[in-house]
Amino acid sequence: MTQMTVSTSQQYDKVIASCKDIFIKKTKDYGTAWRILRTISIVDQIFIKAQRIRTIQEKRQQKVADDISGEFKGIINYAIIGLIQLDLPADTPEEMEVDKASSLYDRYVADAKRVMEDKNHDYGEAWRSLSQESLTDLILMKLQRIRQIISNDGKTL
């Protein structure tokens, strides 16, 4: 394993620990209220956060104190919520124990990390050269793709 891969892995783990801390605190405060969200609603929540980041980037000012870093963490958490929702059977109760939600969170974070490591291998961590603006635009583009797939009833060519 190269030094850059170790560094990326450590960075990933640090960011995810911060995201999971927020996720667990909100789960303790609000339960798993997010279980009521349909796929399109989760996509829209991610869109709202990405659009706010883009607006702040373009205007170079903000009026609400929440920083861009917090919005990216929200995107990560909603993405993980989306993965959990997609995999749970339709008849799964809306409320789940914090430990169960935490376990599911860890499962999808581990899956995402494996994909990231594989892509980093093939792409040589090219994402490190991208601007924050490009990353935001890519997120918004992928959300548009997901919306289109949903409107096509999940069918793609």
Side-chain angles (χ1 to χ4, degrees):
M1 193 177 271
T2 67
Q3 182 59 35
M4 185 165 285
T5 303
V6 171
S7 174
T8 299
S9 179
Q10 290 170 341
Q11 286 176 321
Y12 181 94
D13 292 343
K14 183 178 177 183
V15 168
I16 291 301
S18 177
C19 293
K20 185 176 179 185
D21 180 62
I22 295 165
F23 176 83
I24 295 299
K25 285 177 180 171
K26 288 190 175 198
T27 301
K28 287 178 180 177
D29 285 347
Y30 310 125
T32 51
W34 50 265
R35 288 275 299 118
I36 200 153
L37 296 173
R38 290 175 278 188
T39 303
I40 192 63
S41 299
I42 295 168
V43 170
D44 286 345
Q45 288 301 308
I46 296 169
F47 174 80
I48 289 167
K49 295 193 169 301
Q51 188 60 49
R52 179 167 185 265
I53 293 167
R54 186 176 190 169
T55 301
I56 291 168
Q57 290 168 340
E58 289 174 351
K59 291 184 177 183
R60 300 195 189 287
Q61 65 176 350
Q62 64 188 72
K63 292 189 175 186
V64 177
D66 300 337
D67 64 359
I68 287 177
S69 171
E71 298 296 350
F72 276 114
K73 289 175 185 178
I75 289 171
I76 290 168
N77 280 342
Y78 274 115
I80 294 167
I81 285 168
L83 292 170
I84 292 169
Q85 289 283 72
L86 285 171
D87 207 29
L88 289 176
D91 61 349
T92 303
E94 287 178 7
E95 269 309 309
M96 70 174 66
E97 297 294 322
V98 173
D99 289 345
K100 174 71 173 171
S102 177
S103 174
L104 288 168
Y105 190 99
D106 291 343
R107 174 181 160 197
Y108 289 100
V109 162
D111 289 347
K113 186 175 184 181
R114 280 189 291 279
V115 170
M116 177 201 69
E117 289 171 340
D118 289 347
K119 287 191 174 227
N120 279 348
H121 174 271
D122 291 355
Y123 290 93
E125 297 201 0
W127 61 271
R128 287 187 179 273
S129 299
L130 298 178
S131 67
Q132 187 184 81
E133 290 81 3
S134 290
L135 291 171
T136 304
D137 290 350
L138 288 170
I139 290 167
L140 288 165
M141 178 192 66
K142 290 185 184 288
L143 292 169
Q144 288 299 98
R145 287 181 179 176
I146 292 168
R147 284 179 169 167
Q148 188 61 49
I149 291 168
I150 291 169
S151 73
N152 293 339
D153 296 323
K155 294 177 179 69
T156 60
L157 300 176

